Amino acid sequence: MSDINPFPITKRWPAKHPERLQLYSLPTPNGVKVSIMLEEIGLPYEAHLIDIGKNETWTPEFLSLNPNGKIPAILDPAGPDGKPLALFESGAILLYLAEKCGKFLPKDPSLRYETIQWVFFQMASVGPMFGQLGFFHKFAGREYEDKRPFERYQKESKRLLGVLEERLQGRDWIIGSEYTIADISLLGWVRNLIGFYEARDVVEFDNFPLVGQWLERGLARPAVQRGINIPAR
């Protein structure tokens, strides 16, 4: 086990348990991907709340871990070859944790890459589009007189829900009968879309019953219930 104290982020957010994986996050749709995963795999970790409302991601200490200034990020004292590993980008962290613990990523090569492609689908499409819809529907963007941006993201979000609806035909989970990091990557975003963003009617969510059933199954998992509230605000 290597010492993580040389990492600047530990000066602002000291580790009470430096032998554990350190999570720097906030319970946003991106942040909860990692907290849900950590709860699912049962790996001991310590969570640090990063307050984006106070611009804490732009402090020198946080930027030393993620130069892009976004949550979540992790610092694993027991990284590859026993050396500490600092890692950002939620999709990359999901892959790392899945491979580290041998869980929620199929061992079959074809299914493994199929799972990874759906994680990338979330990262490249669902997250950006749902996030923009939230901005133009609930936040400052709703004051814009030009409604074309809102209409664009509304239409695209509905299309993406349709992609998920089609994918879930005959499947309990994104990859089939097996719950994977593909599901973990998507749960927080779909939950946020109809919850925090209050866009259920805007995207006609009830027209996607399989997505709704999948979301209920996911949110019923005890680890998901815990993970969506970590770190506690």
Side-chain angles (χ1 to χ4, degrees), residues 83-176:
K83 299 177 182 178
L85 175 68
L87 201 61
F88 65 90
E89 281 296 335
S90 55
I93 296 171
L94 286 179
L95 286 168
Y96 170 70
L97 293 174
E99 292 183 338
K100 178 183 178 75
C101 296
K103 295 180 179 180
F104 305 114
L105 184 61
K107 293 181 173 57
D108 176 85
S110 295
L111 288 178
R112 180 177 183 274
Y113 282 108
E114 193 173 342
T115 303
I116 292 171
Q117 82 174 351
W118 283 98
V119 173
F120 284 15
F121 166 78
Q122 182 280 307
M123 300 290 292
S125 299
V126 169
M129 294 300 107
F130 286 12
Q132 291 291 347
L133 179 61
F135 174 78
F136 285 101
H137 174 60
K138 182 174 181 177
F139 299 109
R142 66 183 177 179
E143 306 299 331
Y144 293 7
E145 291 185 12
D146 187 347
K147 298 304 178 185
R148 285 175 295 180
F150 165 77
E151 292 168 357
R152 166 178 166 77
Y153 295 118
Q154 176 191 34
K155 181 179 180 180
E156 183 64 3
S157 294
K158 289 169 64 175
R159 188 190 71 80
L160 292 170
L161 287 171
V163 173
L164 289 175
E165 182 76 7
E166 178 65 25
R167 176 63 185 180
L168 288 165
Q169 293 283 343
R171 295 181 175 90
D172 287 338
W173 304 106
I174 299 298
I175 304 304

Side-chain angles (χ1 to χ4, degrees), residues 170-183:
R171 295 181 175 90
D172 287 338
W173 304 106
I174 299 298
I175 304 304
S177 60
E178 185 177 353
Y179 172 82
T180 69
I181 57 173
D183 301 287

